Every structure is written in C-alpha cells, then in structure tokens.
Amino acid sequence: MMDLVYGLLLFLLVLNLLLGLVRVFRGPELVDSMMASLLLGTGGTALLLAFFKITKEAYYINLALGFALLAGVVGVAFAIIILGKSKDGI
Amino acid sequence: MAFEILSIAFMFIGAIFLLAGSIGLIRLKDTYSRLHALTKADVLGFGFIVLSCILSTDLLSHWIKLLLVWLLAISYSALVGYALANRKKRYA
Amino acid sequence: MLDLALGLMLFVSALLSLHSKDTMKSGVFFIIFGFLSGLIWVRLEAPDVALVEIILGSAITGLLIFKLVKGSKQKDLKAFTFTRLWAGFISFLILIFMLFHLTTIERQDRIASLVFENLHKSGVDSAVNAVLLNFRGYDTLLEVGVITLAIFGLLSLGLKREAYYWDNPLLKGFSRLLLPFIVFFSLYITYLGTFSVGGAFQGGALLAGGLVIFALAGQALPLKASIIYIFMMAGLGVFSLIGLLYALLGYGFLTYPLELSTISIMIIELSIWISTAFLLYTAYRGKL
Amino acid sequence: MIWFYYILAILLVIISLYHFIVARNYVKRLIALNILGSGVFLFFITTAKNTNTESPDPVPHALVLTGIVVAVSATAIAVSLILHLNKEEE
C-alpha cells in the first residue's frame, strides 16, 4: 500500500520535471531555457525532499539545501552575465 | 498515524501544484506569463512539500534546515524571476 | 521507472547541448545536464558524489562556461566530411570495444570490505572521506596541488577580464544577507565530512558560490591581495606540512597515528575548505 | 537497472567523443570534454553499485570525487586559454 502511494508521488514529481523540461528544451528563446534553473530549484529540491520523506536519511536535506542554493546562484548569474551587456551598471 | 496521513496528503497537494506550474510552462504563450506560472505555482507547491516533511520528522535540526530550504527556495524564486524578467525587458 | 525517466532526461540534455547551434543554449543545457546527473547519483546511492557534482560539476563549471560563452565570439564552422567519417569510425570502434567489455563484467565483491574493516582506524566515520583523506591521502594532496597550480597558471596568463555585475539594491541586500549564512552552512558541510555526507571540497565550493553572488552585485571583498594569496595556498601548505611532520616523527608520510587522526583530518579539511573557496572564486573572476 | 546505467554511460561517452572530434568551436569542444568525463564517472559509479555487499563500494566514489575536482580545475584553465585566444585573434 505504502509503496504504491510513494510510487505515485515520485511519478508525479518526475512527471513535473519531464513536462517542464519539454518547454526548456524546445523553448524558442534563451530565457525559456534558463527557466530550468527555477524549475530544478523547486522541482529537483522537491524530489530530494520526497526521497527524504521515504527513506528518512538526514543527508537528503543537506543535498536539497545545496541544490536550492546553487540553482538560484546559477539563475542569477545567467541573468546578469548572459542577458546583460559587459561593463554595464556603474 | 493522523500526522502521517496528513503529511502524505500535503505531499500530494504540493506535487499537484508543481505539476500545474509545469503545465503552465508548456501551455502559456509568451515568456513573461511562463515566468509567472513557474514562480507562483511552484512556490506554493514547494511550501506544501516542505510542510509535509516537517510533519514527518521530530528533530529540531531537521526543522531548522527544512525552514531554511523553504526560505532559500522562495527568495531565490523571487529574485531569479525578477532578474530574468528585468534583464530580458531591458536588453533582449 | 524513475531511473528510466531521469536517464532519458539526462541523455536528451546531453544530446541537445552537443547538437545545438547556439553556444549559449548549449551552455544552459550543460548546466541542466549537471543538475540531472546529480539526481542520478542520488539514485545510485552515491550522495557524496551527488553533492560534489551539484556544487562543483554543475554550478561552478556553469559559471565559468557562462563567462566563456559571453566572451567568445567564435563562429560555429561546419566540420569537414573527412573528419566526420573519421570521428564516426573511432566512436564506433570504442562502442564495439565497450559493449564487448560489458559482457565480461561480473557482480563481485570489490575492495569495499577492506575499507569497512579498517574504518575504525581512520578517525573518520564516513567511508568516502576515510578513503579520500586517510587511506589515499596522496591522491588528495596531489589533487589540491593540481587545483592550486591550475589557478596560478590561470593568473599567470595575465588576461584582463571583463567584470559582469548588476547594480541593483535588491540583489545587493540579498547577497549581503546571504553571505554569513553561506559561510556558516559551508563550514557545517565541511564539519559533516568527518561522519556523514559532506567534505572540504563541497563546503569550499559552496562558499565560492556565495562569494560569486556577492561579486555579481558589484561588491568587492574587503581583503588585501596578500591575504587572498595566503588563503589560496593554505590547503596545499597545511596538508604537506602535516604530512612532513608525521614523516619526521617517524610515522611515515601522511600516516596519522590513531589517536591524533581525527584532529589532523579536521585541520586539513579546514585548510582545504578556505583554499578551495578562494581558488574557485579567483577562477571565476580571472584576476585577484 | 544496472545494465541501463551501463548503456547510458557508454552512449554518453560515444556521442561526446564524436562531438569532441567533430566540433570546431572551442566552447562546444570544452562542453563535449566535460560530458565525456561525466560518462566515465557514471561508468565508475555504476560499477561501485554492482557488488554483493549492501552499500556500494566507497573507493570508486572517492576516485570520482577527485576526478570531478580535477575536471573543474581543467575547465577553469581551458576557459582562460580560450578567452585569451579570442583576444589574440581580434
């Protein structure tokens, strides 16, 4: 019973990633592709937290923390480096 | 037991909100509305998932770390969404 | 099922990142590839590798590749037909070789049992870190040497890099709030290395990510160049000094006595933490 | 499941090797090199899982950890060299 419930849960979370990545891979513009950092920052972290809930291993929370942090760093860096002009700002 | 059932229910609600965000990402027409779908729905769904994990453990250190994950995820979601939209409008 | 879906996503992202015409897109797909392979390594019960892959292999490499893609304006030329044929032939040969090799792989006990038997002698409870810092300390020493040399080689090119930043009050405030938290969290990850998933390289690279966010907001660290040099050399210096100390005391190079092993490993991890952070930060900036 | 990961690792190695030889753009060549490395790491980790013991073998994990760090430092110096090359050509 529990296996079935958790299997369904993991299926939903992976389906979320799959559907999002369809747009990311097709995305007509560059920004659409980089929305992957937002998608992975929430979806991937959610997957790791679901693993934590199923196995009760504490290290999944640390992994989730690192995942959320670095997906954000990469997203901000993309917005500033790729979308900006060099030496812009001050 | 009641907590366990509540926790699994929260997890499912969160997963469905995340899924809604992804469907919005596929179906909406232009970049700004896609950004909107992703940042709104995903943050709500992620909140539910963190809540469900908080209900399923009873260690204080886990609670603190889960709250930090939640804070980080929502603040980065807002920041990245803002930065992408702002920069795209200005330069692209 | 889960493995199948993750593997499919990984393969598609690798394929697109290699095939796409636009180098910016291939950089973005490479980052997605990195994060997805982190998830796959969680599935393969290798959480240490997953942490390293997410932090170093995906995020830090991604930042470097963003800078490269923005700075490089080389056109994408079509390859010669001869090259294509040759490349196809070579790849096909390797495919045949590896498929042939697959049939000979057996399911067997490897040296894992040896590690678990001797784990109590290492002073560390985490098997991966015991191998990394105690049983195969030479490897890690040379690894620290490689990364230090690479960054000093990069500095010696003397290239004047463009700095990219965004002068935005929101980002500035956020990065200032984030920095103390990241310092604390990366120290925590480094400390976790002695008994669970974590380690010095992961913690250091995490701190480097935080410093990069700090720099992207247009702020400079209030540190002198000489202090940054000292931080960068700390890992290699402390590691080899401790190794030499034990060699002079008669234990052998990098062979820790049992009662002192935990404290020595902690000191080494701390020094690797600070030096990795500043080395990777310098690698991102391309200058001091 | 083990065999699926072996096949995936081999496919990654093959396609990235092909593109590493074919690509004339240095950026794509660098990315192909990184993906080649990831394929080899995947092979190692799968072999570590392929044991009779309960938990996977930690020695390949430590080797892969070292490998990733070395790959990142190689990427850092390659990025610097390619940027330098672009400056020379201008």
Side-chain angles (χ1 to χ4, degrees):
Chain A
M1 180 60 200
M2 254 2 218
D3 284 352
L4 194 71
V5 170
Y6 284 140
L8 190 63
L9 191 66
L10 288 179
F11 174 73
L12 281 180
L13 288 172
V14 171
L15 189 68
N16 159 46
L17 277 184
L18 266 175
L19 286 182
L21 285 179
V22 168
R23 165 57 73 195
V24 167
F25 289 148
R26 275 178 51 202
E29 287 179 49
L30 204 57
V31 182
D32 291 316
S33 303
M34 204 50 220
M35 275 179 206
S37 90
L38 281 168
L39 181 81
L40 285 169
T42 49
T45 316
L47 194 61
L48 287 173
L49 288 182
F51 286 149
F52 164 70
K53 180 156 173 44
I54 294 169
T55 61
K56 296 276 190 295
E57 292 272 11
Y59 61 73
Y60 282 120
I61 301 185
N62 296 332
L63 276 176
L65 207 49
F67 209 90
L69 196 77
L70 287 160
V73 169
V74 166
V76 173
F78 170 83
I80 293 171
I81 296 176
I82 301 270
L83 290 184
K85 295 199 169 65
S86 70
K87 286 185 187 139
D88 125 275
I90 300 167
Chain B
M1 195 59 210
F3 271 144
E4 192 61 33
I5 291 172
L6 199 63
S7 152
I8 288 175
F10 274 153
M11 200 81 150
F12 269 100
I13 294 172
I16 285 168
F17 272 114
L18 286 179
L19 208 58
S22 289
I23 290 171
L25 190 64
I26 286 189
R27 288 193 54 98
L28 289 176
K29 287 283 182 282
D30 70 304
T31 308
Y32 296 110
S33 18
R34 284 182 213 133
L35 209 53
H36 162 86
L38 202 55
T39 44
K40 297 286 189 304
D42 271 23
V43 164
L44 186 58
F46 191 72
F48 273 112
I49 284 178
V50 170
L51 198 60
S52 126
C53 282
I54 287 179
L55 282 181
S56 68
T57 87
D58 46 5
L59 281 173
L60 186 66
S61 62
H62 288 181
W63 288 353
I64 293 173
K65 275 190 272 183
L66 283 167
L67 279 179
L68 277 177
V69 174
W70 179 68
L71 267 179
L72 259 182
I74 59 171
S75 52
Y76 261 128
S77 189
L79 188 67
V80 174
Y82 166 60
L84 283 178
N86 184 318
R87 297 248 120 188
K88 177 171 158 47
K89 192 162 165 48
R90 202 187 291 176
Y91 295 117
Chain C
M1 184 61 209
L2 186 60
D3 301 74
L4 223 62
L6 282 176
L8 183 74
M9 287 192 275
L10 185 81
F11 187 67
V12 170
S13 63
L15 209 61
L16 281 175
S17 129
L18 291 168
H19 264 293
S20 75
K21 290 266 178 287
D22 190 357
T23 48
M24 290 189 183
K25 274 204 171 173
S26 66
V28 172
F29 292 146
F30 175 71
I31 288 166
I32 299 171
F33 173 84
F35 279 117
L36 287 176
S37 56
L39 285 181
I40 280 197
W41 283 335
V42 170
R43 287 293 299 163
L44 282 172
E45 296 178 50
D48 289 274
V49 184
L51 195 58
V52 161
E53 173 72 30
I54 289 166
I55 295 174
L56 273 159
S58 173
I60 301 286
T61 313
L63 293 174
L64 291 170
I65 282 184
F66 279 158
K67 276 199 114 169
L68 172 65
V69 162
K70 187 70 178 178
S72 129
K73 295 185 177 60
Q74 196 189 13
K75 284 207 188 76
D76 196 9
L77 300 168
K78 269 198 102 155
F80 307 114
T81 321
F82 176 70
T83 319
R84 280 167 184 276
L85 279 177
W86 183 66
F89 180 64
I90 295 273
S91 310
F92 185 72
L93 272 189
I94 290 186
L95 176 68
I96 297 292
F97 171 73
M98 288 179 89
L99 282 183
F100 177 71
H101 186 67
L102 263 193
T103 57
T104 65
I105 293 178
E106 289 166 14
R107 194 182 182 83
Q108 57 179 328
D109 282 336
R110 290 165 218 283
I111 42 183
S113 49
L114 205 62
V115 174
F116 289 117
E117 268 168 32
N118 290 308
L119 195 57
H120 63 278
K121 289 186 200 158
S122 70
V124 183
D125 287 341
S126 145
V128 175
N129 278 297
V131 175
L132 206 61
L133 287 168
N134 199 336
F135 302 148
R136 297 196 60 81
Y138 282 113
D139 281 4
T140 312
L141 176 62
L142 291 181
E143 173 191 4
V144 176
V146 164
I147 182 169
T148 313
L149 272 183
I151 306 308
F152 275 94
L154 183 154
L155 281 177
S156 72
L157 283 176
L159 185 61
K160 210 159 184 294
R161 291 260 194 107
E162 285 142 349
Y164 301 94
Y165 53 87
W166 186 25
D167 193 16
N168 181 295
L170 186 64
L171 184 62
K172 253 182 198 167
F174 182 70
S175 66
R176 273 191 207 145
L177 271 179
L178 195 69
L179 197 59
F181 162 69
I182 286 194
V183 172
F184 179 74
F185 180 58
S186 65
L187 264 176
Y188 172 68
I189 288 275
T190 311
Y191 163 71
L192 271 185
T194 48
F195 56 89
S196 171
V197 176
F201 291 106
Q202 292 94 318
L206 207 58
L207 183 56
L211 291 177
V212 167
I213 281 282
F214 197 70
L216 280 174
Q219 296 150 314
L221 282 180
L223 289 177
K224 277 189 208 147
S226 54
I227 295 178
I228 293 185
Y229 268 124
I230 291 172
F231 280 158
M232 276 159 62
M233 286 302 294
L236 192 57
V238 171
F239 206 155
S240 34
L241 266 183
I242 286 183
L244 278 178
L245 191 68
Y246 284 133
L248 289 180
L249 290 178
Y251 290 103
F253 189 64
L254 286 177
T255 312
Y256 319 118
L258 192 54
E259 56 273 19
L260 284 175
S261 56
T262 306
I263 187 75
S264 336
I265 286 180
M266 285 247 187
I267 292 172
I268 288 174
E269 284 214 317
L270 213 59
S271 64
I272 295 180
W273 167 71
I274 190 85
S275 70
T276 311
F278 278 91
L279 285 170
L280 290 176
Y281 176 65
T282 314
Y284 166 76
R285 284 182 25 116
K287 61 190 177 204
L288 272 179
Chain D
M1 217 67 268
I2 292 289
W3 296 106
F4 169 67
Y5 280 120
Y6 273 131
I7 300 286
L8 184 64
I10 290 178
L11 280 177
L12 283 180
V13 168
I14 297 299
I15 57 165
S16 55
L17 184 67
Y18 176 77
H19 280 273
F20 178 69
I21 301 173
V22 164
R24 290 177 66 193
N25 188 333
Y26 293 124
V27 178
K28 293 182 103 173
R29 206 171 264 197
L30 185 59
I31 288 176
L33 191 63
N34 270 306
I35 292 180
L36 180 66
S38 285
V40 176
F41 296 152
L42 185 57
F43 200 92
F44 262 72
I45 300 284
T46 315
T47 310
K49 183 88 190 297
N50 194 8
T51 55
N52 296 319
T53 43
E54 185 120 326
S55 55
D57 192 347
V59 179
H61 289 186
L63 288 181
V64 168
L65 230 143
T66 311
I68 290 175
V69 176
V70 171
V72 170
S73 41
T75 308
I77 199 158
V79 164
S80 197
L81 284 173
I82 294 171
L83 284 175
H84 207 73
L85 205 64
N86 278 320
K87 280 266 160 58
E88 298 272 303
E89 278 173 4
E90 270 170 17

